[in-house]
Amino acid sequence: MRVFGRNRVSTYLLIGLGEDPDKLVAAARHLIALGVYPFVVPYRPLVGALGRGDGIPAPSHELVADITDRVARELQRAGMRGSDQEAGCAACGACSALSSVGG
Ligand code: SF4
């Protein structure tokens, strides 16, 4: 952030690995305060992935929607949008529903 500036850095936060949703949203809030875009993405148990082999299911739609909505509201409050990034996953946006709910 110090090198690239506010809303020029993003980081993946995976939903669905057993985390506490409130702690994930709090972590996202902390990242936003630092100027880092928290790109929340559901874990996907793809064929061949270790998690799938261990029988870890994808997170529920309700959990993904809840966290995505809450993080999007935090981003809106801070005036940060993925579309304002110039590169990386937040600029692409394909793996998260954040941009569809205003994040
Ligand atoms: S498709 Fe887009 S959001 Fe997903 S990993 Fe690739 S660059 Fe990132």
Side-chain angles (χ1 to χ4, degrees):
M1 208 319 265
R2 252 175 270 143
V3 173
F4 296 104
R6 185 175 183 276
N7 203 23
R8 292 291 180 268
V9 175
S10 65
T11 189
Y12 248 68
L13 293 183
L14 281 173
I15 302 169
L17 296 177
E19 72 284 345
D20 177 328
D22 292 338
K23 287 184 180 172
L24 187 65
V25 173
R29 192 179 305 119
H30 178 68
L31 288 163
I32 291 168
L34 295 174
V36 176
Y37 188 100
F39 191 62
V40 288
V41 176
Y43 158 69
R44 296 177 179 90
L46 300 177
V47 173
L50 291 175
R52 186 177 178 118
D54 288 344
I56 301 172
S60 70
H61 295 145
E62 291 78 13
L63 177 66
V64 174
D66 172 54
I67 291 176
T68 303
D69 283 345
R70 289 200 275 162
V71 172
R73 281 200 299 273
E74 298 287 346
L75 285 164
Q76 287 164 4
R77 247 181 243 124
M80 290 172 69
R81 296 187 318 167
S83 58
D84 291 332
Q85 296 230 342
E86 294 176 4
C89 293
C92 167
C95 289
S96 173
L98 269 175
S99 61
S100 67
V101 290

